[in-house]
Amino acid sequence: MNIQMIISGVGGQGVLLVTRIFAAIALREGYPLIGSEDHGMSQRGGSVMTHLKMGHFDAPLVKKGSANILLSLEKNEAYKTLYYLKPSSNGQDGGLCFINGPDPNDMNKEIKKYLQEKGIELYVFGADRLAREMGSIQSANIALIGFAAAHPRFPFPHDKLREAIEQVTSTKFREVSLKIFEKGFLEGSKPR
């Protein structure tokens, strides 16, 4: 497995927890793993971004145009990191982009057009809404993972993600996190 991911958001959204979940899968499965974190002013709602690579890589940073997956917990942070996504070329699929946002129609039309031209698949999902409805707004990050996991090209199986969430989340939030993950997965399983 050779996967390059960017996870972005703002302080307090759980970007680092998401990174730990994917890192737990890699370590459990025996995949080589390297990455880097950029916290910025994370405690004050500032930008947070992690680079995560699973497989045989020499450097921790994801280069422009080479990420297979972008998970963004905040729309404006997604705009700042879209250029990391890999365009489709030579018959190979482009990157997958999953963004926490209220409405897919709310995305900038020029950006949607750019991604479409590059062969990058864009999915916007109301992870905040789902987490709020389930009584745990701080678990929107888990809802977005569940939603993404339902995509047929998402390289991490449902059961491995569930195990990693159980392993990494605190006991206090584990039960609700697993419920939110499952609900996000069901939402992602609906026709897109």
Side-chain angles (χ1 to χ4, degrees):
M1 172 182 283
N2 279 336
I3 299 293
Q4 298 186 69
M5 295 179 70
I6 295 290
I7 303 162
S8 67
V10 295
Q13 289 185 307
V15 170
L16 301 181
L17 176 64
V18 172
T19 303
R20 287 180 33 221
I21 289 168
F22 289 105
I25 292 171
L27 294 172
R28 182 179 290 154
E29 297 298 311
Y31 302 130
L33 172 71
I34 57 175
S36 178
E37 301 170 357
D38 179 4
H39 296 263
M41 295 292 289
S42 62
Q43 293 183 9
R44 296 179 183 245
S47 296
V48 180
M49 177 175 63
T50 61
H51 297 244
L52 196 59
K53 293 181 174 183
M54 294 172 211
H56 298 284
F57 296 98
D58 296 323
L61 297 180
V62 175
K63 292 180 189 174
K64 177 183 175 183
S66 60
N68 306 95
I69 299 167
L70 168 63
L71 288 172
S72 188
L73 301 172
E74 205 275 328
K75 182 178 75 173
N76 290 326
E77 295 304 314
Y79 288 154
K80 296 177 188 178
T81 53
L82 288 172
Y83 67 92
Y84 284 104
L85 283 163
K86 178 176 83 172
S88 63
S89 66
N90 300 326
Q92 292 190 351
D93 292 322
L96 294 172
C97 179
F98 300 95
I99 300 173
N100 174 23
D103 181 5
N105 297 319
D106 187 37
M107 294 295 293
N108 182 300
K109 290 177 183 169
E110 292 169 8
I111 290 174
K112 285 169 65 173
K113 181 181 176 189
Y114 166 81
L115 294 174
Q116 193 172 36
E117 288 171 357
K118 296 287 184 184
I120 295 169
E121 293 183 45
L122 169 66
Y123 300 96
V124 180
F125 173 62
D128 283 336
R129 175 196 46 79
L130 185 142
R132 190 178 315 102
E133 287 172 0
M134 296 190 70
S136 182
I137 187 63
Q138 69 271 23
S139 296
N141 53 354
I142 303 295
L144 188 63
I145 292 171
F147 179 80
H151 191 284
R153 285 183 42 223
F154 200 71
F156 305 97
H158 173 276
D159 60 326
K160 302 291 183 195
L161 284 164
R162 186 176 170 82
E163 289 171 11
I165 291 167
E166 284 181 281
Q167 176 186 342
V168 171
T169 55
S170 72
T171 309
K172 182 179 177 182
F173 297 109
R174 189 168 297 138
E175 186 178 330
V176 72
S177 292
L178 291 171
K179 288 178 181 175
I180 288 172
F181 170 73
E182 294 297 343
K183 182 68 173 171
F185 185 81
L186 285 173
E187 292 289 321
S189 299
K190 293 178 180 177
R192 299 176 194 239

